[in-house]
Each structure stands twice: as structure tokens, then as C-alpha cells.
Amino acid sequence: MKKECIAMLLAGGQGSRLYALTSKVAKPAVPFGGKYRIIDFPLSNCVNSGIDTVGVLTQYQPLELSNYIGIGQPWDLDRTVGGVHILPPYVKEGSKGTWYKGTANAIYQNMGFISLYDPDYVLILSGDHIYKMDYSALLARHKQAGAACTISVLEVPMEEASRFGIMNVNEDDIVYEFEEKPKQPKSNLASMGIYIFTWSKLREYLIADEENPASSNDFGGDVIPAMLNAGEIMAAYRFSGYWKDVGTIVSFWDANMDILSVHSGVQLYDKSWPIYCRTPTLPPHVIGQTGTLSHSLVSGGCEVCGKVENSVLFHSVSVGEGAKIRYSILMPGTVVEKDAIVEYAILAENTHIGQGARVGAAPCNVPPEDWGVAVLGSGVCIADHQVVPPKAMLESTEEEGHI
């Protein structure tokens, strides 16, 4: 069962900065791009890169994510040997179970799984990034450098570098210093949170980190600095494609809007690097006699009788006659009734907007300090003619399913 390289995909984050969008699902399971879930991107990258063994580490709200992944058939990961495995925290005999304490501890708790495949290399991924990357090129860089750890980095504007973990490198792109959100950064090479380790080295440092009571059990905060301080070879792999951490409402909305832009770098129509997903079997979308559609993505099962522009509609969305949808994201099962207006908003699954209601507003119509993307959580119902202002964040009540 030996594998050269396996992937460990960290997918247990709560995604608290997405607020209502993650109140009922883990961040990697949040719908994205009209058809996908966020986790589809790293899973598809693995398959397209030739990595056929993936451990998905779940924790917060795991049910929908686990059901969505299933046995991995949409990503060709339903393998007899290898494939995709859901790895939640568990209780060992004679000990108390604990949540994953940090990214490094999550891998430490699953060393038994990794050892089943006796890999030479372990790829560590996050389940909440939108990007396409050939991990085989990352692995080739790791081998070429003879590194214990190779970190994927992205050049960011120098004025934004203080927001990231910054890698300082020599002329051979070997890391000699790591700075976490430095006030005066020396370079603009930001860590993407994508690492490949030589397994024998990683195992050694994971055990040492677990035995350190002062550790926060985090890769960026503890394991990587420890390896660097010990003189291990750490290489940088420069990535130049589209990449976005969709951990905030603004970045999530931006990334969905980027799909509509020809020059954004998000390319979903590249047949050589498809993004696979699990989708329901539905009839084609229909644009009614009173409906108009421009510069938008519309998935199967949608019925559009109003006006939709610059928006992303997931499957089974209904837009009534006279309704207007602009610069918005409507997730599966959303219903917008007659004459309602939705602008610069994100509507989670199965929301219902009543007749003549208004959700959100264009930024030009409100003071800058009062503007923001309006977000309605799963199952929220807006009454007829009700107004939901910009920047609003509404969740349905658990008992009644409406506000």
C-alpha cells in the first residue's frame, strides 16, 4: 500500500468570519461559483496532479461535508487502495478524546493513517482556498531542493505584505527566515498555507511539537519555525496563478464575482484542468418570456422570469416576474418573489424573499461607512415589502426557520 505522496486536507475550520454562511456547515462545504463547493478545488487539484490518496480532516459541522464527499466518486477518488478518507477527531483506548488543537496536532492525531501508506512525502492543504495548482510541480521543487519542507508562496503587493506570513529567501529560493505578519516586511513572498514535507522529517517534528507544552500545535506558528531553527532545508515554491482565501464575506463575494470576469484568472472552462463536483440531476435552466439575463452564471433547475445581471445563481433558484437581481450570489433553492430587488447580496440555501422586498443596495446609493454586502443565512424568510439594508447579517431562527 506504499504511496510516494499522500495529501492531508484540513477541512475542520469553523469559518467564523463568514458568519451566517457557516452557521450550519463547515467552511469547505459552502457553495461556490454556481455549481461547486469550496472543497472541490483542492480535491480536484489532487486528482489532476496524480495524487490519489487524500485524508480529509473534519471537525466543525462535519455532516454535510462528509455526505457531500461520500466515497469520492465525483473526483475519481473511490479507490480500492487509497482514495478519499474522512478523518474526524476520535478517542483512543485509555485516553480522553480531544478536538484538533491546531493544524499540526490534527496531523499528529492521524499519523496512524499516514503510516498505513508509508509515504515518502506528505502534502498539507487547506480546504478553504480557491485556486488551481499542479502539486506535482510543487513535489518536483521539493525533491530538487532536497528539502525537509517546501512552502508554496505567492508574491503580494509590498504594501499588503504585513498581513501575511512572509518567507525571506536567498538567491536559490531557500528560506532563511519566516516572519509572521511583520510590521516592516523584508520581502513580499507570502505563505499560502500549502506545504509538502518529507514524511520522516515531519513525523519527527510532530512528535516533538506534541511533547512541548508551550506549543500552540500549529504549522506556521510552531513546526515550521522549529524546523528552520534546527537548520533543516526549507524551500519556497513560487506560485503565480489565481489564488484566494475566501475566509471573509468580502473575499467570498469577490471570488464569485471574479468568475464572471474574463481577466480575473479564474478559469473554470479549462478542459485540461477540470474542477470536479457532485451536482444533482436537474432539468436545464429556463429564462421565461419576461426574464432577462446578462453577464451571469445560471445553473440547472433555475427559473428566471425577472432581470438578472452580474450574478451567480446556483441550482433550483427561482426569480419572479419583475424581480431584479444585481451583483449577487443566490445559493441552491433560493426563491425571489415578484418585484423584489436583490443587490450586492449573498443569499444562502433555501432563502425566501417576499414580493416587493429589497435586500442590499449598490455602494453608490449609501455612505461608504454604511455599505457592505448583505448576507442572509440558510432558510431565512424575508416578508413582503420588507427592507434588508446593506451590511446586514441575518440568520434564521432554529425553531421557526424565519426572522
Side-chain angles (χ1 to χ4, degrees):
M1 297 214 304
K2 182 175 177 60
K3 299 283 186 178
E4 180 186 33
C5 182
I6 70 170
M8 300 294 280
L9 206 168
L10 300 167
Q14 182 175 352
S16 58
R17 292 179 299 165
L18 288 178
Y19 303 102
L21 298 182
T22 51
S23 62
K24 297 179 182 179
V25 298
K27 182 162 58 170
V30 171
F32 177 85
K35 180 179 179 179
Y36 308 97
R37 307 270 181 145
I38 295 173
I39 200 169
D40 289 327
F41 287 80
L43 283 177
S44 298
N45 287 340
C46 285
V47 173
N48 292 332
S49 301
I51 296 174
D52 62 7
T53 304
V54 184
V56 179
L57 285 66
T58 62
Q59 182 161 275
Y60 171 79
Q61 296 279 22
L63 180 60
E64 186 164 350
L65 180 62
S66 298
N67 285 342
Y68 179 74
I69 294 173
I71 61 173
Q73 186 273 333
W75 307 272
D76 192 29
L77 288 171
D78 50 337
R79 306 293 180 97
T80 303
V81 177
V84 67
H85 301 259
I86 305 298
L87 303 172
Y90 62 94
V91 179
K92 296 180 181 179
E93 184 178 0
S95 66
K96 295 181 180 179
T98 62
W99 292 115
Y100 295 140
K101 294 180 288 185
T103 53
N105 175 258
I107 303 301
Y108 172 84
Q109 289 197 39
N110 287 284
M111 289 198 305
F113 168 78
I114 297 173
S115 296
L116 285 175
Y117 296 98
D118 189 25
D120 297 317
Y121 309 101
V122 175
L123 175 66
I124 309 295
L125 304 171
S126 173
D128 52 9
H129 298 161
I130 302 300
Y131 67 112
K132 293 182 178 184
M133 179 187 289
D134 186 350
Y135 301 137
S136 66
L138 174 61
L139 178 57
R141 165 62 178 155
H142 183 78
K143 292 178 179 178
Q144 176 268 327
C149 172
T150 299
I151 302 166
S152 185
V153 297
L154 185 72
E155 292 188 12
V156 298
M158 202 65 186
E159 59 271 19
E160 297 181 15
S162 59
R163 296 172 42 229
F164 298 89
I166 296 297
M167 300 293 162
N168 298 320
V169 300
N170 64 19
E171 63 274 8
D172 297 319
D173 275 350
I174 299 299
V175 179
Y176 66 84
E177 185 181 24
F178 171 71
E179 298 180 288
E180 181 65 27
K181 298 182 179 179
K183 292 183 179 180
Q184 295 182 322
K186 300 173 186 175
S187 82
N188 64 340
L189 291 180
S191 170
M192 299 169 65
I194 299 169
Y195 317 110
I196 193 161
F197 292 91
T198 298
W199 170 232
S200 59
K201 286 288 186 181
L202 176 59
R203 187 178 186 278
E204 172 188 336
Y205 282 90
L206 286 176
I207 293 171
D209 183 70
E210 193 65 23
E211 294 173 349
N212 178 6
S215 174
S216 61
N217 306 117
D218 182 72
F219 276 111
D222 302 283
V223 174
I224 288 175
M227 296 181 78
L228 198 59
N229 291 336
E232 302 288 358
I233 298 175
M234 306 192 72
Y237 171 76
R238 293 177 183 257
F239 178 73
S240 58
Y242 181 93
W243 176 85
K244 183 159 286 192
D245 180 345
V246 288
T248 66
I249 292 297
V250 171
S251 63
F252 180 83
W253 182 85
D254 281 344
N256 276 273
M257 293 298 108
D258 284 345
I259 294 175
L260 303 177
S261 175
V262 175
H263 304 294
S264 69
V266 185
Q267 179 50 268
L268 297 180
Y269 301 95
D270 181 2
K271 295 181 180 179
S272 67
W273 201 270
I275 301 300
Y276 302 100
C277 63
R278 186 184 301 279
T279 54
T281 301
L282 292 167
H285 69 263
V286 59
I287 310 299
Q289 290 184 341
T290 58
T292 61
L293 182 68
S294 64
H295 200 235
S296 299
L297 284 178
V298 180
S299 294
C302 288
E303 183 177 0
V304 177
C305 296
K307 183 177 182 180
V308 176
E309 58 182 55
N310 298 296
S311 295
V312 176
L313 273 57
F314 286 77
H315 70 79
S316 308
V317 168
S318 174
V319 179
E321 184 176 345
K324 297 178 181 179
I325 313 295
R326 298 180 65 245
Y327 293 96
S328 294
I329 303 161
L330 277 58
M331 293 185 183
T334 294
V335 174
V336 180
E337 297 283 6
K338 180 179 179 181
D339 297 326
I341 298 175
V342 177
E343 294 185 297
Y344 293 85
I346 302 173
L347 311 187
E349 298 177 73
N350 301 314
T351 54
H352 190 283
I353 311 302
Q355 290 189 25
R358 176 183 284 271
V359 178
C364 59
N365 294 332
V366 294
E369 63 272 15
D370 295 331
W371 187 83
V373 176
V375 180
L376 305 188
S378 176
V380 167
C381 294
I382 301 301
D384 292 353
H385 308 292
Q386 182 177 345
V387 176
V388 178
K391 204 189 287 188
M393 193 76 58
L394 304 181
E395 294 186 52
S396 64
T397 61
E398 188 175 341
E399 296 78 17
E400 301 178 3
H402 59 79
I403 60 169

